């Protein structure tokens, strides 16, 4: 009998400890009522706050998450400013969502027509610019008459006959100046081309 009595006393002592642990894990009735009151008073304002930041689709979901976090918070029973507490949770959830959005990797399917390899336009523009500068330098090195004949034929698209008539020189002279200009330009551009 003594053994039963000892066991019984141990059980009697253990029961109050266990029951107090179970009660401390659950929010008490006052905290539940406080949460219900806060929910009724602050829900619409919180949703309006969230709608302005994430739109109406996500606002209700985030508001629900705010109240869920508030309900599981150990601070619920001792809040001095419940509204501020809810809005603080909401801001933190918005920050977390923004961070997740920032880190999200978006993959798009390859569209052959749109994403096909294209030439490096900027590189071609730079090469063309360098070539133009080199050509300008080569043209300035030519004698005046040779440069004029070359420009008339290549840029003004005049035929040799028209150049001969415009400058009053022979056809052989036009051909001579063109060969001289082309040879000089070929030599000058040889390094660039």
């Amino acid at each position: 009998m003594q053994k039963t009595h000892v066991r019984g006393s141990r059980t009697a002592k253990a029961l109050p400890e266990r029951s107090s642990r179970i009660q401390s894990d659950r929010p008490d009735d006052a905290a539940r009522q406080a949460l219900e009151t806060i929910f009724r008073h602050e829900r619409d304002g919180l949703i309006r706050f969230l709608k302005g930041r994430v739109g109406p689709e996500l606002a209700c979901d985030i508001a629900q998450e705010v109240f869920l976090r508030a309900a599981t918070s150990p601070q619920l029973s001792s809040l001095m400013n419940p509204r501020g507490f809810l809005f603080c949770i909401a801001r933190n959830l918005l920050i977390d969502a923004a961070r997740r959005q920032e880190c999200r990797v978006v993959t798009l399917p390859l569209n052959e027509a749109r994403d096909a390899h294209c030439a490096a336009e900027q590189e071609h523009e730079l090469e063309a610019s360098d070539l133009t500068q080199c050509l300008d330098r080569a043209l300035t090195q030519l004698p005046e008459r040779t440069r004029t004949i070359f420009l008339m034929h290549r840029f003004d698209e005049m035929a040799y006959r028209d150049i001969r008539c415009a400058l009053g020189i022979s056809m052989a002279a036009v051909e001579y100046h063109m060969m001289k200009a082309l040879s000089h330009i070929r030599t000058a551009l040889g390094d660039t081309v």
Side-chain angles (χ1 to χ4, degrees):
M1 278 216 167
Q2 232 175 7
K3 288 183 184 178
T4 308
H5 177 51
V6 173
R7 184 180 280 173
S9 65
R10 284 184 190 166
T11 309
K13 288 180 184 176
L15 282 176
E17 290 173 12
R18 189 181 288 163
S19 65
S20 68
R21 252 188 289 144
I22 291 170
Q23 287 177 354
S24 67
D25 288 346
R26 294 182 191 158
D28 59 354
D29 289 334
R32 278 189 204 162
Q33 289 175 351
L35 181 62
E36 287 176 22
T37 305
I38 293 169
F39 181 79
R40 274 192 237 106
H41 290 288
E42 302 299 336
R43 182 179 181 278
D44 293 336
L46 184 64
I47 289 176
R48 275 193 305 276
F49 170 78
L50 292 168
K51 276 183 183 177
R53 282 150 182 83
V54 295
E57 301 85 26
L58 295 175
C60 291
D61 292 340
I62 294 175
Q64 188 67 29
E65 179 70 22
V66 167
F67 283 106
L68 178 65
R69 290 200 181 181
T72 58
S73 173
Q75 301 170 355
L76 184 61
S77 59
S78 62
L79 290 178
M80 299 301 280
N81 183 0
R83 184 174 198 276
F85 181 67
L86 293 177
F87 279 80
C88 183
I89 293 173
R91 277 190 294 277
N92 290 340
L93 287 172
L94 290 173
I95 290 169
D96 290 346
R99 285 183 184 146
R100 280 191 303 274
Q101 188 72 14
E102 233 175 61
C103 296
R104 183 177 295 160
V105 176
V106 177
T107 57
L108 299 173
L110 181 66
N111 181 343
E112 290 293 332
R114 181 191 70 212
D115 301 326
H117 178 71
C118 61
E121 292 178 25
Q122 195 172 28
E123 185 177 341
H124 293 304
E125 288 175 11
L126 289 172
E127 288 175 358
S129 173
D130 289 345
L131 191 60
T132 303
Q133 288 175 357
C134 193
L135 178 63
D136 287 344
R137 276 194 302 273
L139 288 175
T140 58
Q141 294 169 352
L142 288 173
E144 180 70 30
R145 167 105 10 163
T146 306
R147 180 175 49 244
T148 303
I149 292 172
F150 178 80
L151 292 174
M152 289 172 83
H153 179 65
R154 291 296 170 116
F155 290 95
D156 297 336
E157 299 179 1
M158 293 175 70
Y160 283 8
R161 278 185 315 241
D162 298 333
I163 295 171
R164 179 182 62 89
C165 293
L167 296 178
I169 57 175
S170 70
M171 184 68 84
V174 172
E175 290 172 353
Y176 167 79
H177 285 289
M178 278 303 296
M179 285 190 305
K180 186 177 175 182
L182 289 172
S183 174
H184 176 74
I185 291 170
R186 189 175 300 120
T187 304
L189 297 181
D191 297 335
T192 352
V193 179

